[in-house]
Amino acid sequence: MKKTILAVFAGIASLLAVGCSKSGSDTIKIGSIGPLSGAVAVYGVECKNGIDLAVEEINAAGGVKGQLLEVVAEDDEGNPEKSVSAYKKLVTKDQVKYIIGSLTSGCTQAITQSAQAQKIVQIAPAATAPAITDAGNYIFRACFIDPFQGTVGGKFAADNLGANSAAILYDIGNDYSVGLKENFFKEFERLGGRVIAQESYNTGDKDFNAQITKIKNVNPDVIYLPDYYGTVALIAKQLRAQGIVKPIVGADGWDGLTENAGEEVLNGYYSNHYATDSDSPAVQQFVAAFEKKYSKKPNAFAALGYDSVYLLKDALVKAGTNDSAAVRDALEATDGDYVTGHLTFDEKRNPIKSAVMLEMMRDVNGKLATKYNTTVNP
């Protein structure tokens, strides 16, 4: 009797062990790092929402060759040191082979060398600084880079707004802002325009009136303002308060203004990765699914997070294995249609795809919104 009971328990333990082993093998873990709190949390939260929606859809359709995706999300608060801590936790404790993140360029670059050394496939959804992928061939991004965005802004100001002169107001301590400024300047002047003022400020500044007064005195046709939405809203208020009503042009850091600004950003335009009002079936399907799940329209960070998951999923399917080297090779050969456009990678694993220009406006209910203005091709 005693032997029988022991045999039964042994059999149960064996079945449980097999069950646990099977469950583990049926899950592909994906690490996610982004600012879920802090000054730029709107970026990280929206990106995470897009990631979660994509994973939910893929798992509902059977996963990747029978394996379900599991996201392990970490909050870096937009702080590079915390990005590093999050990365170490994901790789050592959670044993992920794939990481989506971080969001800002500084946080993303803080972990690229480690990811490359440990052969962790890293996809940066929205880090636009050119040097991000320099760490090596395991580092990819879903967004276009700053030189392209700056060029798009310069071209739009000259060709679409008909501006002959421009002023630039930028954060001298922010690589994102400086990179955009430099490339806007080159393209605008290449097209025959003149940059008649370049005024800088420091990260965290709140009073820009001295710089704005200098800009007002030279009376440019357009102001280029390459920064994140919180600072853009502050500067726009002070520009309008001084009576400057000329168009303001910016880049994807403006995403988030619709929830964090007012009429001061009207007559404003910015380059972005996609437009919610596009007639693309992929965009329409994504926007409808996102609105159903979250009861709001998805911004570009949500779309880029969503695309990052599908890029990885497609590479996993093509590779036919969960080996990170094989998945890396498959990802590099990407040639497909996603929410933010048709995408292939160049030799530095930067996407080759179009940008859109969005215009700040009021919708039928008087709420601040954006509308598609034009597409600028690479």
Side-chain angles (χ1 to χ4, degrees):
M1 182 72 173
K2 186 175 180 182
K3 287 183 179 178
T4 302
I5 293 173
L6 289 173
V8 170
F9 276 114
I12 291 172
S14 176
L15 287 172
L16 287 173
V18 170
C20 290
S21 174
K22 185 175 188 298
S23 174
S25 66
D26 284 351
T27 300
I28 299 173
K29 285 185 178 181
I30 301 172
S32 168
I33 302 175
L36 304 179
S37 61
V40 290
V42 69
Y43 299 158
V45 171
E46 285 297 278
C47 184
K48 176 64 164 47
N49 287 342
I51 289 170
D52 288 345
L53 176 60
V55 168
E56 182 180 288
E57 290 176 352
I58 292 166
N59 286 345
V64 178
K65 295 185 180 297
Q67 292 181 293
L68 298 182
L69 302 182
E70 177 189 349
V71 176
V72 183
E74 296 294 328
D75 178 13
D76 66 9
E77 301 176 32
N79 181 325
E81 291 182 2
K82 293 185 178 180
S83 304
V84 172
S85 297
Y87 171 85
K88 290 178 179 177
K89 184 260 184 185
L90 288 170
V91 173
T92 57
K93 181 180 178 181
D94 301 302
Q95 297 187 317
V96 303
K97 297 181 180 180
Y98 316 103
I99 288 179
I100 296 174
S102 184
L103 269 290
T104 59
S105 293
C107 287
T108 301
Q109 199 153 12
I111 61 176
T112 55
Q113 295 288 345
S114 296
Q116 179 65 28
Q118 295 176 281
K119 296 185 178 181
I120 303 297
V121 174
Q122 181 184 358
I123 303 176
T128 53
I132 292 297
T133 57
D134 287 351
N137 63 352
Y138 277 79
I139 315 302
F140 296 78
R141 70 176 113 214
C143 57
F144 42 65
I145 61 177
D146 288 342
F148 179 53
Q149 276 206 96
T151 299
V152 165
K155 186 174 182 180
F156 178 78
D159 292 348
N160 296 77
L161 297 180
N164 294 310
S165 61
I168 304 174
L169 184 53
Y170 68 101
D171 183 345
I172 198 169
N174 182 337
D175 289 343
Y176 169 80
S177 190
V178 172
L180 287 167
K181 181 269 294 188
E182 291 173 349
N183 286 281
F184 174 91
F185 184 103
K186 290 176 185 176
E187 182 67 6
F188 188 71
E189 295 219 327
R190 186 188 73 81
L191 293 172
R194 288 189 309 119
V195 175
I196 57 177
Q198 294 187 73
E199 296 296 327
S200 66
Y201 52 88
N202 295 306
T203 305
D205 284 354
K206 304 296 183 185
D207 186 348
F208 310 92
N209 281 292
Q211 296 95 323
I212 291 171
T213 297
K214 292 178 182 178
I215 289 172
K216 183 178 180 179
N217 288 338
V218 297
N219 192 30
D221 294 331
V222 65
I223 297 97
Y224 189 57
L225 184 51
D227 209 331
Y228 303 130
Y229 65 91
T231 303
V232 170
L234 282 175
I235 292 175
K237 281 184 180 180
Q238 293 175 36
L239 281 167
R240 301 317 189 200
Q242 286 209 35
I244 299 176
V245 296
K246 298 291 179 66
I248 311 171
V249 176
D252 63 344
W254 283 33
D255 222 7
L257 277 177
T258 52
E259 292 82 27
N260 294 280
E263 63 182 16
E264 66 274 4
V265 295
L266 296 177
N267 201 21
Y269 307 83
Y270 68 99
S271 55
N272 211 352
H273 305 268
Y274 96 121
T276 56
D277 53 346
S278 166
D279 59 4
S280 160
V283 172
Q284 291 178 346
Q285 180 180 337
F286 165 65
V287 171
F290 192 94
E291 285 188 301
K292 181 178 180 181
K293 184 174 176 64
Y294 299 108
S295 300
K296 61 181 178 179
K297 288 187 181 296
N299 66 19
F301 293 91
L304 289 166
Y306 182 89
D307 276 358
S308 295
V309 175
Y310 273 97
L311 281 164
L312 181 56
K313 173 257 185 184
D314 290 347
L316 283 161
V317 170
K318 186 174 182 179
T321 174
N322 194 20
D323 175 70
S324 63
V327 173
R328 191 220 72 80
D329 290 344
L331 189 58
E332 193 170 49
T334 296
D335 186 350
D337 294 314
Y338 297 88
V339 170
T340 58
H342 185 85
L343 188 152
T344 59
F345 288 110
D346 66 15
E347 68 281 358
K348 295 291 290 290
R349 298 159 307 284
N350 297 315
I352 302 171
K353 60 180 181 178
S354 301
V356 299
M357 291 299 299
L358 302 181
E359 179 180 355
M360 305 300 303
M361 44 83 73
R362 295 281 187 191
D363 63 18
V364 293
N365 298 313
K367 185 179 178 181
L368 193 64
T370 61
K371 68 175 180 179
Y372 168 79
N373 185 282
T374 191
T375 295
V376 182
N377 294 312

